Amino acid sequence: MRQILGLSVLTGGFVRENWKLEASRFTGREPDQHRYDIETPKLDSTAVRVSWNPAPTWSLQASWADLISPEALEPDQDERRWSASAIRTVPVGARGLWSTTLAWGRKDRSDGPTLDGVALETALKPNADWTIFARAERLETDELDSHAGGGHGDVARVGKASIGAIRDWRVSGTLKFGVGGLVTANRIPGALKHAYGSAPTGGMAFVRLAID
C-alpha cells in the first residue's frame, strides 16, 4: 500500500507476454485542503485496467473505475468512469520520434448525465533540441453554466485545439533546460458565449527543467 497526499492505493497486477492486467482499491474521496495531515484510508473504490502492446510501436489500454463519493461538496454522489486509448510511436530520421495518442473517456455520475470526452494529441521530436506538439479535444460538461447557481447546469459540448513548440538545451548529462510556447483556440456553444466570449483564445510561454 502507498499513500500520496492522503490518497491510499492498494494495487495488484498480472503480466503475460505483451498483456498486463491491473486492479486497485483506493479511497475515492479527493484529498481536502489540508495537505500535510494523513487522512484515514477507506479503500472504498475500485479500478481495473488492461493494457496490450501488439507491436513495439503500439500501446493500447482500457480501464474502468467505480468511485465512491469523490467530491466533498456532493458526498451522496458516486461516479463510474471508463477510458480507452491507443498510442502509436514511430522513429523519425536517425534520432527522432513521433508519438500520437487517441483517447476517450466517460464519466457517469449516480445522479447526473453520462459525459463523454475524446482527445487527439501528437508530439514530433525531430532531434534532441526541438519538440513540436498539438492537441485537439472535445468533451461534454455540465459545469460551465454560470446561471446554474453552482452545482451542475445544462450539458454543453465544448472543444479546444492547441499547438506549440519547445526548444531544449543540454545543461548536464541528464538535465535539460527548455523554453516553449503554445497558442490555444476554444470552441463553445452559443448558450455560453455571454460568459466566455464568441471565440475565446489564449497563449502561454513557459520554461522547464527536464531529466532524460
Side-chain angles (χ1 to χ4, degrees), residues 57 88-92 96-100 121-126 132:
T57 58
R88 167 80 163 168
T89 303
V90 296
V92 175
L97 288 174
W98 186 10
S99 183
T100 301
E121 62 180 19
T122 188
L124 173 63
K125 193 173 182 63
I132 304 167

Side-chain angles (χ1 to χ4, degrees), residues 7-12 22-30 40-48 64-71 75 77-81:
L7 182 65
S8 298
V9 182
L10 181 65
T11 301
E22 303 166 85
S24 299
R25 289 285 290 178
F26 58 96
T27 302
R29 174 64 57 85
E30 295 181 353
T40 303
K42 295 182 179 180
L43 301 182
D44 54 6
S45 301
T46 305
V48 179
W64 168 89
D66 184 21
L67 284 76
I68 305 301
S69 186
E71 298 285 350
Q77 181 175 279
D78 302 328
E79 287 185 6
R80 287 188 176 179
R81 299 178 183 177

Side-chain angles (χ1 to χ4, degrees), residues 6-191:
L7 182 65
S8 298
V9 182
L10 181 65
T11 301
F14 175 77
V15 177
R16 180 179 175 84
E17 296 179 349
N18 53 359
W19 288 88
K20 180 167 66 173
L21 176 66
E22 303 166 85
S24 299
R25 289 285 290 178
F26 58 96
T27 302
R29 174 64 57 85
E30 295 181 353
D32 59 26
Q33 69 274 23
H34 306 294
R35 293 297 195 246
Y36 298 101
D37 62 353
I38 298 177
E39 300 176 5
T40 303
K42 295 182 179 180
L43 301 182
D44 54 6
S45 301
T46 305
V48 179
R49 179 171 64 180
V50 59
S51 305
W52 178 40
N53 297 339
T57 58
W58 282 97
S59 179
L60 312 176
Q61 73 84 34
S63 67
W64 168 89
D66 184 21
L67 284 76
I68 305 301
S69 186
E71 298 285 350
L73 297 179
E74 300 172 326
D76 297 328
Q77 181 175 279
D78 302 328
E79 287 185 6
R80 287 188 176 179
R81 299 178 183 177
W82 293 261
S83 79
S85 64
I87 303 175
R88 167 80 163 168
T89 303
V90 296
V92 175
R95 302 181 60 183
L97 288 174
W98 186 10
S99 183
T100 301
T101 300
L102 176 63
W104 163 84
R106 168 172 289 178
K107 180 168 65 174
D108 186 8
R109 296 196 305 268
S110 57
D111 64 348
T114 298
L115 304 173
D116 290 291
V118 62
L120 175 65
E121 62 180 19
T122 188
L124 173 63
K125 193 173 182 63
N127 52 52
D129 297 332
W130 284 95
T131 303
I132 304 167
F133 58 89
R135 177 183 175 93
E137 56 186 292
R138 178 181 172 86
L139 60 88
E140 297 173 327
T141 178
D142 59 357
E143 299 178 356
L144 296 179
D145 188 352
S146 60
H147 295 300
H152 303 286
D154 296 331
V155 175
R157 294 177 176 85
V158 299
K160 182 171 71 172
S162 303
I163 186 169
I166 304 171
R167 173 64 162 93
D168 286 308
W169 290 270
R170 181 72 58 183
V171 177
S172 64
T174 60
L175 186 64
K176 296 188 298 184
F177 172 77
V179 177
L182 64 87
V183 293
T184 300
N186 298 276
R187 182 180 183 276
I188 61 173

